Amino acid sequence: MDKVCVTYKIPEQGQRLLKRYELKVNTQDHFLDKSELIDFAEGASALVTLLSDVIDREVISRLPNLKVVATYAVGFNNIDIVAAKEKGITVTNTPGVLTEATADLTLALILATTRRIVEGDRLVREGRFEGWKPELLLGTSLKDKVLGIIGLGRIGKAVVHRAKAFGMKVVYHNRMPASKKEEKTLDVEYRSLEDLLKLSDVVSVHVPLTRESRHMLSASKLKLMKPTAVLINTARGAVVDEQALINVLQEGKIFAAGLDVFENEPDVPYALRELDNVVLLPHLGSATMEARMEMAIMVARNVTAVLEGKQAPNRIV
Ligand code: GLV
Ligand code: GLV
């Protein structure tokens, strides 16, 4: 019987679908490091992983029975796709089912930063609320402001729809510009990365982390942003040069940042935690009960398909 190893407990709906196999789930509240993972997954035909599991060439070579790595995430920058492909191992992810949840969280961060929600909450909790004041914690409105979307994939587009409801204008940057027809339907305009950064009031990142996108928002790029602008990142921390971002925030070169992801998770630099003009979340983009349940079912279906010799529905390689 095929052995399926799951590196961290996922919602029951997914585990139930995998019970037909010899199922081994890490039920401790503990992430496996590389050597623990290799031991844990010994003899596995299928491996269900989290985005924090590093599935590199070494791990792949140490698991010779492996037929499929099904990551419980849409992003797959933690997996060496080339090494997997060389060994004929299928890699799958969970696209689509977390799009709306992540777009919702992006809007939550846009509103939290532009309207200073977290600062306000802190003020009340600390007993510093002295009554309504004409200029207490003023933020900025969204109507007629420009949202710059970097990465017009599924999530980027879902953010566009939401931003339109707030009366925002949207420009985007993408490796491949969308078709004229799609631009018209979405009511968005293409800009170079530099122009987008110069003219946007809200910049939101929705690209996957790749060699090309690492530090795409470098110190020199971040300096192009308006002093009144906010940066939102719900994609991957390393797309932004985190130290450069800390510098522009400290120097007041941008208004605020809303971050759901960090360069070296779970480490969040102390300098970032000290700033008032940032909202920091523990990677909650897809954290709705609905999305996480759908993701669990999706990984199980991908594993099952490969083990039955069929094409995986969400195959990357
Ligand atoms: C979460 O960040 C994901 O990639 O699913
Ligand atoms: C991810 O699902 C994306 O395409 O934005």
Side-chain angles (χ1 to χ4, degrees), residues 55-57 60-61 66-69 76 79-92 315-317:
I55 310 300
D56 59 11
R57 190 170 283 279
I60 287 168
S61 71
L66 208 53
K67 293 184 188 142
V68 54
V69 177
F76 48 86
I79 302 170
D80 188 334
I81 298 298
V82 175
K85 193 172 179 190
E86 278 170 23
K87 296 266 185 207
I89 296 169
T90 299
V91 179
T92 67
R315 179 178 181 160
I316 300 159
V317 291

Side-chain angles (χ1 to χ4, degrees), residues 74 99 153-156 206:
V74 69
T99 301
R154 284 175 291 261
I155 297 168
H206 302 285

Side-chain angles (χ1 to χ4, degrees), residues 51 72-76 94 98 234-236 261 283 286 295:
L51 54 90
Y72 186 66
V74 69
F76 48 86
T94 62
L98 45 66
T234 56
R236 283 292 180 272
V261 289
H283 206 145
S286 64
M295 289 163 68

Side-chain angles (χ1 to χ4, degrees), residues 9-16 72 289 292-293 296-297:
K9 194 177 158 294
I10 61 169
E12 181 53 36
Q13 291 88 347
Q15 291 190 43
R16 214 178 297 144
Y72 186 66
M289 285 181 268
R292 293 285 166 85
M293 184 187 79
I297 294 170

Side-chain angles (χ1 to χ4, degrees), residues 106 129 137 147 198 213 263 315:
T106 304
F129 179 39
L137 286 181
L147 169 65
K198 280 183 206 160
S213 70
E263 201 162 342
R315 179 178 181 160

